Amino acid sequence: MADLEIAYSPYTLRFKAPATTSRATMTVKDTYFIKVYDPAAPERYGLGECALFRGLSMDDVPVYEETLQALCRNNREGKTTDLSLFPSITFGLETALHDYINGCERRPFPTPWSDGEGAIETNGLVWMGSIQEMTERMAQKVKEGFRCVKVKIGAQDFNRELQMLDELRCSYGPDVIELRLDANGAFSPEEALDRLERLAVLDIHSIEQPIAPRQWDKMSYLCENSPIPIALDEELIGITDSDAKRKMLYYISPRYIILKPALCGGIAGAEDWISIAASLGIDWWATSALESNVGLNAIAQWASTKELKRVQGLGTGGLYINNVSSPLVMKGPRLAYDTSQRWEIPQLEWQQ
């Protein structure tokens, strides 16, 4: 990166309403913006987002910000920084560089989509809450036109969740709604298959991560025997070597993998996962790791370079009260790039 400098700024995103999964309830999300620029023209810069996900990212470590400082310092001194254990920083840096190369217009991966043509179909997301809350949220997603809805499960009593899903399916058949579930590893290996069999009568498209990661024997057994196709999500986190990726996918043999670039090695890492999965007959779709619109935009533009076969998980831009204003707009269940809208980057305290 000769002649270019790097700076970063912390930023706290604030949820409009508490976001609950089987792991935790979130009211805020810490993230970091990163920019690359020519010091002779600092007003022009490529922007990326180091989308740290506390409690989930492999790089949620005490030296995270020190690593960002080292990246900036080493770059000034003409040294490299090993980011192999920091996928979210990798994601932020590579997308900032792509943005800079493509004119500093927040178009890291220019495609007809980022020219305002077409839209990316996304799933609606129903967060965990009371059964009544989740039922109301599902009805709202259907009203908004979503034909694919992902429901977070695993935090409530399973029988009550099953009853709720049964009522939802009675109201919205598979011809109306493609129903995806995300357990975030909430089931124990001993109970998982029984629960999957009970859920299967509801015509479920897929379920993400029914059991916690790093239980390859048990997950492989589930993938072989489950009546519901299984998608791996958290299982991908922390596996950076291509041979290890292939070994895991071959051994577990899931139907799908879920790609969150900030968690699975950045854009280059996601491309590697796609290539390996394709060789094994495994399909994929991309989702956000609850980034701001900066990171979400990068993922959406990257996804738009692909021939998308599945509904993507990119409808999270409305989660925050202080998101970055951008041309990203939801048109019903589709994410579009409205070229008449402008990026408005908040005042940030850039550090080097």
Side-chain angles (χ1 to χ4, degrees), residues 11-19 26-31 33 49 51-54 125 127 288-296 315-325:
Y11 192 73
T12 299
L13 294 159
R14 303 187 183 281
F15 285 88
K16 293 177 180 177
M26 298 171 286
T27 57
V28 299
K29 183 179 184 294
D30 295 326
T31 195
F33 295 124
E49 181 176 0
L52 173 66
F53 201 126
R54 297 202 183 278
L125 179 59
W127 291 98
S288 80
L290 307 185
E291 292 88 352
S292 76
N293 281 334
V294 173
L296 181 61
T316 55
L319 291 176
Y320 304 113
I321 61 175
N322 62 336
N323 206 339
V324 177
S325 296

Side-chain angles (χ1 to χ4, degrees), residues 46-81:
L47 183 67
E49 181 176 0
C50 304
L52 173 66
F53 201 126
R54 297 202 183 278
L56 185 59
S57 298
M58 67 176 287
D59 49 15
D60 180 16
V61 293
V63 296
Y64 188 91
E65 193 158 350
E66 292 177 25
T67 303
L68 281 169
Q69 293 168 353
L71 173 65
C72 298
R73 182 178 62 252
N74 288 343
N75 180 70
R76 287 195 304 272
E77 297 173 357
K79 302 176 183 177
T80 59
T81 304

Side-chain angles (χ1 to χ4, degrees), residues 15 17-21 24 26 53 125-130 133-134 137 141 150-153 184 290 316 319:
F15 285 88
T20 300
T21 72
M26 298 171 286
F53 201 126
L125 179 59
V126 174
W127 291 98
M128 290 182 182
S130 69
E133 287 172 333
M134 295 177 73
R137 290 167 185 168
K141 294 302 178 185
K150 182 170 83 170
V151 181
K152 296 276 189 178
I153 63 171
N184 289 121
L290 307 185
T316 55
L319 291 176

Side-chain angles (χ1 to χ4, degrees), residues 92-337:
L93 180 61
E94 65 184 342
T95 53
L97 283 168
H98 278 282
D99 184 25
Y100 185 86
I101 292 167
N102 286 297
C104 303
E105 296 178 343
R106 314 302 163 243
R107 299 182 68 217
F109 304 100
T111 64
W113 181 83
S114 62
D115 286 334
E117 299 178 20
I120 300 172
E121 187 169 9
T122 71
N123 63 253
L125 179 59
V126 174
W127 291 98
M128 290 182 182
S130 69
I131 300 301
Q132 181 178 351
E133 287 172 333
M134 295 177 73
T135 302
E136 291 172 351
R137 290 167 185 168
M138 170 67 97
Q140 182 61 34
K141 294 302 178 185
V142 174
K143 183 179 179 180
E144 292 170 359
F146 288 91
R147 72 173 186 88
C148 176
V149 176
K150 182 170 83 170
V151 181
K152 296 276 189 178
I153 63 171
Q156 309 285 340
D157 174 77
F158 177 72
N159 288 322
R160 294 187 66 210
E161 289 185 332
L162 186 64
Q163 180 182 358
M164 175 201 69
L165 292 169
D166 181 53
E167 292 173 1
L168 291 175
R169 186 47 99 197
C170 287
S171 299
Y172 312 107
D175 57 327
V176 177
I177 286 294
E178 178 181 281
L179 192 56
R180 297 175 179 176
L181 303 180
D182 186 358
N184 289 121
F187 299 163
S188 73
E190 294 73 24
E191 69 193 2
L193 186 58
D194 175 68
R195 291 188 172 189
L196 293 172
E197 289 172 345
R198 295 173 68 187
L199 288 165
V201 299
L202 303 178
D203 202 340
I204 305 299
H205 170 270
S206 57
I207 183 167
E208 295 179 31
Q209 206 69 44
I211 64 174
R214 306 300 180 262
Q215 303 179 86
W216 288 13
D217 289 343
K218 296 180 175 66
M219 186 67 87
S220 175
Y221 175 81
L222 284 179
C223 287
E224 183 177 0
N225 293 280
S226 171
I228 300 174
I230 290 175
L232 300 186
D233 182 356
E234 289 91 340
E235 200 75 62
L236 278 58
I237 297 172
I239 303 178
T240 58
D241 177 76
S242 293
D243 288 339
K245 293 176 184 178
R246 180 175 295 278
K247 178 181 178 182
M248 184 275 284
L249 291 180
Y250 178 80
Y251 188 78
I252 295 179
S253 192
R255 183 76 64 86
Y256 308 106
I257 58 173
I258 311 300
L259 296 173
K260 295 181 173 74
L263 300 182
C264 68
I267 298 297
E271 292 279 7
D272 193 36
W273 279 110
I274 289 173
S275 177
I276 294 169
S279 71
L280 297 172
I282 298 168
D283 207 348
W284 65 277
W285 62 84
T287 73
S288 80
L290 307 185
E291 292 88 352
S292 76
N293 281 334
V294 173
L296 181 61
N297 173 61
I299 299 171
Q301 289 193 25
W302 165 71
S304 74
T305 69
K306 308 295 182 185
E307 183 181 352
L308 300 178
K309 303 176 183 177
R310 304 286 173 184
V311 177
Q312 306 296 298
L314 302 176
T316 55
L319 291 176
Y320 304 113
I321 61 175
N322 62 336
N323 206 339
V324 177
S325 296
S326 78
L328 297 180
V329 294
M330 288 297 298
K331 297 182 176 180
R334 294 173 175 81
L335 180 65
Y337 196 91

